[in-house]
Amino acid sequence: MGSSAQEEMRRFWEKNSHSKRPLSPHISIYKWSLPMAMSITHRGTGVALSLGVSLFSVAALLLPEHFPHYLEQLRALGLGPVLIFLGKFSLAAPVCYHGWNGIRHLV
């Protein structure tokens, strides 16, 4: 007959403690460095950009009007130049960072 998961786990830990195997290090023992932070940020911007493109694509397929209609509605809001700049920057910064950091990874 098969053993339970608890018995398997108990045998596993007994075997490891008898053989004096080291445990895998936890993330909290690593010293954060610039390359580590840049790599994590690169992955995060990649995920965010792919989600953004996917959501934009689904919206383009499902919304009843064409893009110029929604662009005109956005212009009708009368947002100030500071908000428009922040919106453009929040779209352009992840694209630029991910692109340049991708080139850095390749080099």
Side-chain angles (χ1 to χ4, degrees):
M1 281 205 145
S3 59
S4 71
Q6 288 178 344
E7 291 171 3
E8 290 288 329
M9 191 62 94
R10 183 184 50 77
R11 273 188 271 166
F12 172 78
W13 286 112
E14 284 177 6
K15 182 176 77 171
N16 279 345
S17 58
H18 285 101
S19 63
K20 306 284 189 222
R21 291 181 182 166
L23 292 177
S24 179
H26 191 266
I27 188 111
S28 63
I29 70 165
Y30 291 112
K31 182 179 177 187
W32 282 82
S33 63
L34 183 62
M36 177 192 285
M38 289 176 71
S39 178
I40 291 169
T41 307
H42 180 77
R43 290 175 189 223
T45 56
V47 169
L49 290 171
S50 63
L51 286 175
V53 167
S54 299
L55 289 175
F56 184 81
S57 301
V58 169
L61 288 172
L62 297 179
L63 291 174
E65 298 291 330
H66 293 292
F67 182 72
H69 171 76
Y70 298 107
L71 191 58
E72 192 58 41
Q73 283 186 336
L74 189 64
R75 284 188 188 133
L77 291 175
L79 302 173
V82 173
L83 285 177
I84 291 173
F85 173 78
L86 289 174
K88 288 179 179 180
F89 183 79
S90 66
L91 291 173
V95 172
C96 291
Y97 178 80
H98 190 76
W100 286 110
N101 200 34
I103 292 170
R104 183 189 68 86
H105 272 290
L106 290 174
V107 170

